[in-house]
Amino acid sequence: MFKNLPRHQFGNLQSKMFPAYFSMVGVCCAVSVASFGYLHPWKTSSTTERYQLGFLLSSFAFNLTNLFVFTPMTIEMMKQRHKVERENNIGEEVGWSKNVEVAKSNPKLAAMNKKFGMIHGLSSLANIMSFGSLAIHSWYLAGKIDL
């Protein structure tokens, strides 16, 4: 998409896709937490099973943080940047942006880019942490398979 859509269209598409993605992953995490918690009650579960529940809960928490904190912040910042970019006649190009060049002479856009990068980076980190927690749980489940 990045290589084929104008930047503003790409950003608008992403702003629709990511809330749906984080919602779907959140529902799946909630079902996994509930299922695992039901099948392995805390009082009778082993240390390993308690860790697994912790990994599932952390994945759920990271995902909810993305859905309810970082995604709305990222979308709002993107909309503000799009407005400033339109004022500077940029953003309709496909692929790499002229944004960086314009930001050198536009301190408002430079500040927006910095804030957007920070929020986007935190969102990516939360997504990686969620994925990592699920990967550890998948490793645990794979170890339970007897072929």
Side-chain angles (χ1 to χ4, degrees):
M1 291 183 298
F2 176 77
K3 293 181 179 181
N4 296 298
L5 290 176
R7 281 191 57 256
H8 288 177
Q9 284 183 11
F10 171 72
N12 289 330
L13 178 61
Q14 292 262 13
S15 74
K16 303 295 184 231
M17 286 176 43
F18 276 103
Y21 166 75
F22 291 129
S23 295
M24 181 185 67
V25 173
V27 167
C28 291
C29 281
V31 169
S32 294
V33 166
S35 301
F36 196 84
Y38 177 77
L39 293 172
H40 305 280
W42 188 261
K43 289 185 178 184
T44 60
S45 63
S46 68
T47 302
T48 303
E49 291 166 344
R50 289 180 182 184
Y51 273 113
Q52 293 312 306
L53 186 59
F55 288 126
L56 289 172
L57 285 168
S58 69
S59 179
F60 186 51
F62 283 123
N63 191 71
L64 288 181
T65 302
N66 248 335
L67 179 61
F68 293 117
V69 178
F70 296 132
T71 297
M73 290 171 68
T74 303
I75 291 171
E76 182 58 33
M77 183 54 57
M78 178 203 68
K79 288 178 181 178
Q80 291 174 14
R81 265 191 1 166
H82 284 188
K83 183 179 178 186
V84 171
E85 287 176 344
R86 275 190 220 95
E87 291 169 359
N88 288 282
N89 296 317
I90 59 173
E92 293 305 319
E93 62 275 1
V94 175
W96 295 106
S97 171
K98 297 176 184 173
N99 177 304
V100 175
E101 294 171 23
V102 174
K104 290 177 184 174
S105 61
N106 186 330
K108 183 178 179 182
L109 185 58
M112 289 177 146
N113 287 347
K114 185 175 180 178
K115 186 173 180 181
F116 180 84
M118 181 190 69
I119 296 167
H120 191 269
L122 289 171
S123 176
S124 296
L125 179 62
N127 198 35
I128 289 168
M129 296 299 288
S130 177
F131 177 81
S133 295
L134 290 176
I136 291 169
H137 184 65
S138 296
W139 183 282
Y140 165 79
L141 292 176
K144 295 288 186 183
I145 296 174
D146 187 25
L147 298 176

